[in-house]
Amino acid sequence: MHSIMESELILEVKDLGNIVVRLEPALSPPLTYARLGKSLPIRSNAIKYSQVILIPLDLGLVSEGKRTSLKPYEVGYWVKKRSLVIALGNVDLGEQVNVLGYVVNGAELLSKLNGGYSIKLSIR
């Protein structure tokens, strides 16, 4: 079992490389964190949609976040869409998002995720 206190979420993108997300427990709702830790490693697909990248990942309806917007390269769990979401710019989702952390490495790969890339998510 990983201690999720100071962890990184690794998104291994087939044929492209790794995107590294620093998880920030101070920002983040505890239940969302716990469920994220329990659900990984997992494979999913990344879908680019306007200014966000969606990665379907069902952590259930954990209504812990107070925010509805993300800043560039912030990562959160979009409750209604049951997906991880990575912001490419300032985005107002208009719906609740539980902020998990931010991209620290591989941000340049995000713009290439436009065709439904296969991604392996894990925590280290």
Side-chain angles (χ1 to χ4, degrees):
M1 185 69 197
H2 291 280
S3 157
I4 210 156
M5 286 334 240
E6 288 196 4
S7 299
E8 291 177 332
L9 175 64
I10 311 299
L11 311 178
E12 292 177 49
V13 186
K14 193 169 166 41
D15 303 327
L16 280 185
N18 287 359
I19 296 162
V20 180
V21 176
R22 169 74 41 84
L23 296 173
E24 285 287 346
L27 285 176
S28 185
L31 192 55
T32 307
Y33 251 77
R35 290 189 183 174
L36 179 67
K38 285 195 182 99
S39 67
L40 301 179
I42 195 171
R43 285 194 178 279
S44 190
N45 285 310
I47 302 135
K48 188 170 172 213
Y49 178 76
S50 183
Q51 285 294 295
V52 297
I53 290 174
L54 291 177
I55 301 168
L57 178 67
D58 192 351
L59 302 178
L61 290 172
V62 279
S63 297
E64 300 179 293
K66 302 275 183 279
R67 295 196 19 211
T68 57
S69 62
L70 291 171
K71 297 184 195 80
Y73 304 120
E74 274 189 325
V75 179
Y77 177 64
W78 191 346
V79 179
K80 254 194 179 153
K81 296 266 190 282
R82 297 199 181 203
S83 297
L84 288 182
V85 57
I86 304 172
L88 300 177
N90 287 307
V91 286
D92 184 1
L93 302 173
E95 294 173 355
Q96 187 178 10
V97 62
N98 302 344
V99 179
L100 291 166
Y102 51 91
V103 175
V104 291
N105 210 324
E108 70 283 354
L109 301 179
L110 293 171
S111 61
K112 297 179 178 161
L113 297 180
N114 51 11
Y117 275 88
S118 171
I119 288 190
K120 181 181 174 210
L121 296 94
S122 58
I123 283 179
R124 73 167 177 216

